[in-house]
């Protein structure tokens, strides 16, 4: 009888050990179900093939005006007479030539004497004046060369090219923006009917000069620049329906 009880006791201990050996929490062997649930880690096998192909719009931060005029004689203000530039985005006025940003390149100069070669005269608002009895003011004669400048925002609350100070932050231009370039021409004379009427005296020849425009992604950087127009040239003041539209 003792032998039977002993055998039953041993069988009970063996069964307990078998149950203990199957418990993963105490380091025993794992059955098939445990192996699947406890050792398999989730992995993302999906490859993201979506790429952002949107190209950001080009921004232009500098403008170069190239003189293409054919002055018949060398005067004290030869070539294209640049007064000011204004920029618009729709009905919003952006600014004028930024103060302290203008510089002139004279490599193509035609005439030795040019009284109107001060770059700062191209900055700020429309203010070119031509007088019969005293020196002219407020414009730059390009003399076969070029003028580069940036657009500066207005810090004085102005909303036109005639009163904006151009002392604000640099304004980056983009496609669809419009440029009004003010060149001292016949629209500056009395009775012209323009908003520049009387800025020049009646005896001023003030004929419109030719020029082209180069838009740069940064001042002094030719890479990525765009010439306007692509062929030909502009002539005289541009504005209104004749404004230069950035493509």
């Amino acid at each position: 009888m003792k032998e039977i009880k002993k055998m039953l006791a041993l069988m009970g201990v063996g069964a307990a050990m078998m149950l203990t050996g199957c418990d993963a929490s105490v380091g025993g062997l794992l059955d098939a179900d445990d192996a699947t649930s406890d050792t398999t880690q989730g992995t993302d096998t999906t490859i993201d093939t979506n790429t952002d192909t949107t190209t950001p719009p080009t921004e232009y931060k500098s403008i170069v005006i190239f003189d293409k005029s054919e002055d018949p004689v060398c005067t004290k203000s030869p070539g294209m007479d640049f007064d000011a530039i204004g920029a618009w985005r729709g009905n919003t006025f952006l600014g004028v030539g930024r103060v302290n940003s203008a510089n002139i390149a004279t490599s193509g100069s035609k005439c030795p004497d040019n009284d109107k070669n001060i770059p700062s005269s191209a900055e700020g608002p429309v203010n070119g004046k031509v007088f019969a009895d005293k020196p002219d003011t407020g414009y730059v004669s390009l003399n076969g060369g070029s003028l580069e400048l940036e657009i500066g925002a207005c810090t004085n609350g102005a909303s036109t090219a005639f009163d904006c100070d151009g002392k604000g932050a640099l304004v980056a231009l983009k496609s669809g923006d419009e440029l009004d370039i003010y060149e001292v021409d016949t629209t500056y004379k009395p009775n012209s009917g323009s908003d520049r009427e009387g800025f020049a005296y009646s005896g001023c020849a003030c004929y419109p000069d030719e020029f082209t425009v180069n838009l740069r992604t940064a001042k002094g950087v030719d890479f990525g620049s765009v010439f306007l127009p692509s062929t030909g040239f502009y002539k005289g003041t541009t504005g209104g329906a004749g404004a230069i539209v950035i493509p």
Side-chain angles (χ1 to χ4, degrees):
M1 189 68 177
K2 289 182 179 179
E3 293 296 327
I4 294 173
K5 289 182 178 180
K6 185 176 181 179
M7 290 179 63
L8 291 173
L10 289 174
M11 289 176 64
V13 171
M17 291 179 63
M18 288 180 65
L19 291 173
T20 302
C22 293
D23 189 349
S25 64
V26 293
L29 298 176
L30 304 177
D31 60 21
D33 289 338
D34 285 335
T36 301
S37 60
D38 294 341
T39 63
T40 302
Q41 296 183 1
T43 56
D44 184 2
T45 59
T46 303
I47 299 175
D48 185 1
T49 58
N50 295 324
T51 57
D52 185 1
T53 58
T54 303
T55 302
T58 300
E59 292 187 332
Y60 302 103
K61 299 179 181 179
S62 175
I63 302 164
V64 186
I65 312 298
F66 288 92
D67 184 9
K68 295 297 180 181
S69 63
E70 296 294 339
D71 264 349
V73 294
C74 284
T75 64
K76 293 296 183 179
S77 54
M80 189 266 195
D81 301 317
F82 181 96
D83 180 357
I85 183 170
W88 293 81
R89 182 167 296 154
N91 294 322
T92 301
F93 185 73
L94 299 177
V96 294
R98 191 182 185 202
V99 172
N100 297 324
S101 74
N103 61 272
I104 298 176
T106 59
S107 58
S109 296
K110 301 176 182 179
C111 303
D113 298 320
N114 179 13
D115 287 350
K116 302 296 177 290
N117 60 358
I118 302 174
S120 59
S121 296
E123 301 165 352
V126 179
N127 59 1
K129 301 291 180 64
V130 183
F131 303 102
D133 54 358
K134 60 181 179 180
D136 300 346
T137 60
Y139 68 88
V140 173
S141 296
L142 299 189
N143 192 20
S146 63
L147 169 77
E148 182 173 18
L149 77 172
E150 301 166 341
I151 295 295
C154 315
T155 65
N156 57 350
S159 59
T160 75
F162 288 82
D163 47 14
C164 177
D165 59 10
K167 295 180 180 180
L170 183 153
V171 177
L173 303 171
K174 60 183 182 180
S175 176
D177 291 347
E178 296 183 359
L179 300 176
D180 296 336
I181 294 180
Y182 295 86
E183 200 265 333
V184 179
D185 56 12
T186 56
T187 62
Y188 281 62
K189 298 177 68 171
N191 304 314
S192 68
S194 77
D195 49 11
R196 301 165 301 286
E197 179 180 275
F199 280 25
Y201 72 104
S202 60
C204 174
C206 292
Y207 51 83
D209 290 298
E210 301 86 7
F211 60 93
T212 58
V213 177
N214 183 221
L215 303 175
R216 287 176 168 174
T217 56
K219 193 174 180 185
V221 177
D222 280 326
F223 180 79
S225 63
V226 175
F227 265 103
L228 303 175
S230 56
T231 59
F233 50 78
Y234 300 105
K235 187 174 184 179
T237 295
T238 68
I244 299 172
V245 180
I246 298 177

